[in-house]
Amino acid sequence: MAVPVTLQAWQAWANRPDPVPPVRLSAAARQALPSAAQLAYDAQRLAWLSADVVFDTDDVKALTRMVRVATVRNRVDSVTARRAIALSGASTLGKSTAVLHLGRRHDRAVRARQPAHPHGRDDALHPVVYVVVPAAATPKMLMHAICQGLDLPWTTHATTQFLTDAAIDTMTALRTSMVIVDEIHNLRTNRQVGAEAATALKLFAERLDATFVYAGIDLPRSELFTGEFSRQITGRIVVHQMLPYTFATRTQQGVWVDLVASCEDLLVLTRHPARSLTAHAGYLFDRTGGSLGTLRALLADAATEAILTHTERVTRNLLDATPTDRQADDLRTARDAAALPASVARRRGSGRASGAGGGSGG
């Protein structure tokens, strides 16, 4: 399913039943199925590997609390600026997944509080609007994206003010109470058009009785949060920083091992020994740089290969042959390069010590 950047797509995603894992069969039980049933079972497992399963990690829990508090506070009628939430972190850490999950949860909670519609639907209620900021956004491009999220028709001749007013009126009529703005780092406030777009978004948010949730890459160091414009917004936004997992202490290693085990539990393979990948937790940390998104992708890709080749288990050799994303590769390359001089120095030091000892003994 594509990113839900229209009302219709969002509602289809919000209403979609939560994914259910396939029944875990043994190799013998799968083999006993008719050929057509085997193919259907494999297709079900392959789809499950790409399902939107969100772990209740510490980041998700913290963000949930922050959004819940901000949403409750923002319900109060007030003419002052409302509290917003920003989720920051490197790519592949799961920012978009987290905010989409929170938006979906908010959507369902709001609809559950509403009186039942006589025909089982309420087209006049859309609690959440999801917007992706386009690269190098101008004010008009930004408003186009918002109007797209509202399924509003627009023409290239429409002015920014017209689009803004139309979006405000529509969100008010739809009783929108949460606006998710993803890829917010695309607002480059060190350029005039970027600063104008950021100002347009600020003014837009001030006119809506809604909680704004922003997500973007490395926001505390982005132009939006460090430039002159930051004085207008940083006092209104609570930032949660998502960080890669670490593997230095026993506690950190235990957290990572549990995460590997949770990801491994999602692999419905007929010959894979349960929790066997936890023995390779250190290796998996090195391959993924502590990124949950990269870990899940690596294991899912390996499990897909195991299903397609009928080997039905994920081994160290299979993981070695399964590529990771470019960012994880670059991190690993940089880490290896940084470690190389120290190891070379140790070898050279060891060699000099042996030579000196040999000379002394002679």
Side-chain angles (χ1 to χ4, degrees), residues 88-108:
S88 172
S91 59
T92 77
L93 292 185
K95 299 182 302 299
S96 295
T97 299
V99 294
L100 284 168
H101 171 69
L102 290 171
R104 186 185 193 191
R105 181 182 292 176
H106 177 76
D107 189 292
R108 292 180 172 183

Side-chain angles (χ1 to χ4, degrees), residues 111-134:
R111 291 179 183 277
R113 293 196 298 264
Q114 302 301 313
H117 192 279
H119 302 294
R121 56 198 290 268
D122 189 352
D123 292 337
L125 174 64
H126 283 280
V128 179
V129 171
Y130 178 75
V131 179
V132 177
V133 177

